Amino acid sequence: QCVVLSVDVKRVDGKFKVFAKGGRENTGIDAIEWFVQGQENGAGEVVVNSIDTDGVKTGFDLELLSILAEKLSIPIIASGGAGNMEHFKELFKIPGIDAGLAASIFHFKEVEIMELKRYLRDNGVEMRI
């Protein structure tokens, strides 16, 4: 079995902080340290939701995800920001990112899942079809 650590993250004064209560409450906890500590305490993978990019459809928080990919050895699932197929392609250029999560672009049929999978495979991203 795998323990998944899922955290909402937002930039505050240039630092990444952990937020609670659906992103409404700043806990004051450094997000990078929280993920590292979670891995050290046995988390098997992490879901990283960037509040800054969530729902904006301008792309994933590549800076945050790159930092985490350098510090963690467990699977990382990125959430927040996907607006098109190119955003996923850019996401998977980061070594250590295992999955990308999106909702509205699929719900509103802006992107079809199979179309995205083919696009990613055709652009060198290992993908199950």
Side-chain angles (χ1 to χ4, degrees), residues 2 8 12 14 16 22 30 36 39 43 45 50 64 81 88 109 118:
C2 180
D8 288 329
V12 178
F16 296 106
D30 180 274
V36 170
Q39 175 179 274
E45 62 185 49
S50 173
L64 168 62
F88 283 93
K109 305 222 183 274
R118 285 187 199 96

Side-chain angles (χ1 to χ4, degrees), residues 12-117:
V12 178
D13 298 326
K15 297 184 180 189
F16 296 106
K17 297 293 183 176
V18 173
F19 273 68
K21 298 184 180 174
R24 294 185 310 274
E25 183 178 302
N26 182 353
T27 66
I29 298 169
D30 180 274
I32 306 301
E33 291 176 14
W34 184 253
F35 281 110
V36 170
Q37 186 177 30
Q39 175 179 274
E40 290 171 357
N41 288 323
E45 62 185 49
V46 296
V47 177
V48 183
N49 181 47
S50 173
I51 295 171
D52 295 315
T53 59
D54 195 20
V56 182
K57 297 185 182 179
T58 57
F60 293 95
D61 192 330
L62 301 178
E63 179 185 358
L64 168 62
L65 295 163
S66 294
I67 292 168
L68 288 173
E70 289 177 8
K71 296 192 175 284
L72 301 176
S73 60
I74 57 178
I76 299 170
I77 302 166
S79 176
N84 59 47
M85 293 190 292
E86 181 72 21
H87 292 150
F88 283 93
K89 180 178 155 189
E90 292 300 313
L91 173 68
F92 292 122
K93 287 181 180 177
I94 301 172
I97 300 299
D98 294 277
L101 182 83
S104 64
I105 62 170
F106 299 130
H107 292 292
F108 296 113
K109 305 222 183 274
E110 296 166 29
V111 173
E112 294 290 334
I113 293 172
M114 286 306 297
E115 180 184 3
L116 173 61
K117 292 175 97 174

